[in-house]
């Protein structure tokens, strides 16, 4: 675990299998002075809050890579913004206000993975209508009020599905291309059109994920 001690148990560890190593931290983040020179060049000109989050999530990622026994070096965004991992590693990173996390796994055991974390608050007006179709909203309306911002969780589930999909296919998909069915038990299903998955060489048109809530943070994970 990196940075400030997170409440137990580790949120992402609860959502991922043993093959995946997760490191997360709560709190204000770390100084951007921990960045490598090429990482610093990538965010040159960014505001300090962006630089701190960029550094904090990479601190988590380097700790996770070290625990995996993988090379620990610079972690730069590649095409589409997805991080570029060392050979033989798949991974994902996420951050939101007061929280950041990284998850990595050996590619010989895990085909792809995606994680996402969000503050557990309702989406801003005008955003919710852009991320879901009527069938998804009908299912959300039937979910009980358990202190979960279900629309934000739906958004997070689509984000983690995209983070699993994009590095494996290098193809963009929009919110409307992913239909999510949330379960109050802490799981969800995300459906891509079969034609879309086949055309991209993706092994499944339906992926299953898990979600969890810890403090003010809701997180999702998809692991194939």
């Amino acid at each position: 675990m990196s940075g400030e001690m997170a409440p137990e148990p580790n949120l992402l560890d609860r959502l991922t299998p043993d093959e995946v190593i997760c490191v997360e931290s709560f709190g204000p983040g770390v100084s951007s002075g921990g960045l490598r020179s090429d990482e610093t060049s990538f965010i040159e000109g960014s505001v300090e809050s962006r630089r701190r989050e960029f550094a904090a999530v990479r601190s988590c990622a380097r700790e996770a890579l070290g625990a995996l026994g993988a090379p620990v070096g610079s972690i730069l965004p590649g095409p589409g913004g997805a991080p570029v991992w060392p050979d033989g590693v798949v991974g994902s990173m996420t951050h939101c206000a007061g929280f950041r996390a990284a998850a990595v796994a050996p590619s010989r055991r895990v085909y792809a993975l995606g994680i996402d974390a969000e503050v557990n608050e309702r989406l801003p007006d005008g955003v919710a209508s852009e991320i879901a179709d009527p069938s998804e909203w009908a299912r959300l309306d039937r979910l009980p009020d358990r202190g979960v911002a279900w629309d934000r969780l739906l958004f997070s589930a689509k984000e983690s599905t995209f983070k699993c999909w994009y590095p494996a296919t290098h193809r963009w998909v929009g919110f409307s291309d992913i239909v999510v069915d949330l379960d109050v038990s802490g799981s969800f299903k995300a459906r891509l059109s079969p034609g879309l998955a086949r055309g991209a060489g993706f092994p499944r048109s339906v992926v299953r994920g898990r979600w969890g809530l810890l403090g003010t943070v809701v997180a999702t994970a998809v692991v194939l």
Side-chain angles (χ1 to χ4, degrees):
M1 197 170 300
S2 177
E4 291 190 10
M5 187 65 69
E8 294 294 340
N10 186 308
L11 177 56
L12 270 300
D13 277 342
R14 289 162 36 193
L15 309 181
T16 54
D18 291 343
E19 295 89 345
V20 179
I21 294 176
C22 301
V23 173
E24 62 190 40
S25 68
F26 286 74
V30 299
S31 167
S32 58
L35 291 172
R36 311 292 174 90
S37 59
D38 49 355
E39 293 170 336
T40 300
S41 297
F42 186 86
I43 59 165
E44 189 174 3
S46 298
V47 298
E48 180 59 21
S49 59
R50 161 67 173 153
R51 294 167 64 87
R52 288 174 64 89
E53 285 301 322
F54 191 89
V57 75
R58 277 157 178 78
S59 177
C60 291
R62 280 191 262 274
E63 187 174 333
L65 287 170
L68 189 66
V72 179
S74 299
I75 305 170
L76 298 173
V84 178
W85 301 100
D87 289 344
V89 175
V90 295
S92 184
M93 300 190 297
T94 187
H95 61 85
C96 64
F99 178 81
R100 72 287 312 166
V104 297
S107 58
R108 69 181 184 278
R109 301 288 300 278
V110 173
Y111 174 74
L113 68 89
I115 62 171
D116 185 70
E118 304 286 335
V119 176
N120 184 36
E121 297 175 351
R122 294 292 303 271
L123 289 171
D125 292 341
V127 174
S129 61
E130 300 295 324
I131 70 163
D133 68 19
S135 69
E136 290 172 299
W137 284 120
R139 289 192 292 273
L140 287 187
D141 288 340
R142 294 193 291 268
L143 294 173
D145 182 4
R146 294 188 176 177
V148 178
W150 295 114
D151 59 346
R152 181 77 68 166
L153 179 58
L154 182 76
F155 174 85
S156 181
K158 293 196 177 196
E159 284 286 301
S160 60
T161 301
F162 174 79
K163 290 180 180 181
C164 184
W165 158 276
Y166 184 83
T169 64
H170 301 291
R171 295 194 183 190
W172 193 265
V173 292
F175 287 119
S176 62
D177 296 313
I178 304 170
V179 178
V180 168
D181 188 359
L182 298 171
D183 191 291
V184 294
S185 68
S187 63
F188 65 88
K189 291 189 295 186
R191 297 188 298 276
L192 298 148
S193 81
L196 184 66
R198 283 196 301 270
F202 201 66
R204 300 179 192 173
S205 58
V206 177
V207 298
R208 296 181 182 274
R210 295 194 58 78
W211 66 269
L213 179 66
L214 187 60
T216 60
V217 176
V218 65
T220 55
V222 176
V223 181
L224 297 184

